[in-house]
Amino acid sequence: MPAPKSYTKAQWDEFARLLDTLPEKPSSERRVTVRDAMPKVRAHINAARAKGYSVEQLIDQAKQAGIDVTASALRYALQDAKKRRATTQRMAESSSATGKTDMLRSQPATRATGEQTNHTSQTKPEIGSKSGSMVHHDQYSFPIRPDTDNL
């Protein structure tokens, strides 16, 4: 592993001084990411799509303007930020719901007659099944161990 580079404090001070003396760039020359440009361009893209143009055709138009963007990047950027947050929240809720299901699965089940059957006694605790472990084991999984015999 290469050694980390270090510089003198005077060099960093000189760099900071040079940064402070840089002139303001005009807004027309500033770099803008696809995501940052979408709020201003979204209405134009949606209008072009309403005219019957496909995303691929819009990508060709972007290339003519010197913008190299992929269809998937454009589609992702076109998604409303609220929609992205809702999708992320649904994914989080889904994963937490899965955790709740696993908790319920490990608790004793009650039959209609009132008897209790403990399903957790049928499976032995696996490696990584302790609290806080990132490894998930249930009745359908098995531990995977590295093949150290053929080294």
Side-chain angles (χ1 to χ4, degrees), residues 85-144:
R85 274 190 240 118
T87 302
T88 305
Q89 185 177 8
R90 274 197 311 270
M91 289 172 60
E93 289 172 355
S94 172
S95 65
S96 68
T98 303
K100 290 177 185 174
T101 304
D102 292 341
M103 267 191 348
L104 292 174
R105 201 179 287 151
S106 67
Q107 292 178 353
T110 305
R111 294 186 183 167
T113 60
E115 298 176 15
Q116 289 189 350
T117 306
N118 190 346
H119 292 289
T120 57
S121 63
Q122 295 174 358
T123 59
K124 61 183 178 182
E126 300 288 337
I127 298 171
S129 63
K130 55 188 160 183
S131 177
S133 173
M134 296 284 293
V135 180
H136 174 73
H137 294 286
D138 60 8
Q139 60 192 9
Y140 303 109
S141 63
F142 56 91
I144 298 175

Side-chain angles (χ1 to χ4, degrees), residues 30-44:
R30 293 182 185 179
R31 294 283 201 187
V32 180
T33 64
V34 175
R35 181 183 283 182
D36 292 340
M38 275 307 115
K40 294 177 182 161
V41 183
R42 182 178 284 124
H44 300 282

Side-chain angles (χ1 to χ4, degrees), residues 34 59 61-69:
V34 175
I59 296 298
Q61 294 294 314
K63 286 182 182 175
Q64 287 180 9
I67 299 171
D68 187 25
V69 64

Side-chain angles (χ1 to χ4, degrees), residues 3-59:
K5 294 183 179 183
S6 63
Y7 302 95
T8 65
K9 181 165 177 5
Q11 287 173 307
W12 285 111
D13 290 342
E14 176 66 14
F15 176 58
R17 188 189 63 75
L18 289 172
L19 291 177
D20 290 340
T21 61
L22 288 174
E24 187 77 22
K25 265 193 166 183
S27 61
S28 61
E29 293 181 18
R30 293 182 185 179
R31 294 283 201 187
V32 180
T33 64
V34 175
R35 181 183 283 182
D36 292 340
M38 275 307 115
K40 294 177 182 161
V41 183
R42 182 178 284 124
H44 300 282
I45 292 173
N46 289 336
R49 300 231 18 230
K51 291 178 185 177
Y53 290 93
S54 69
V55 172
E56 288 76 17
Q57 291 169 325
L58 299 179
I59 296 298

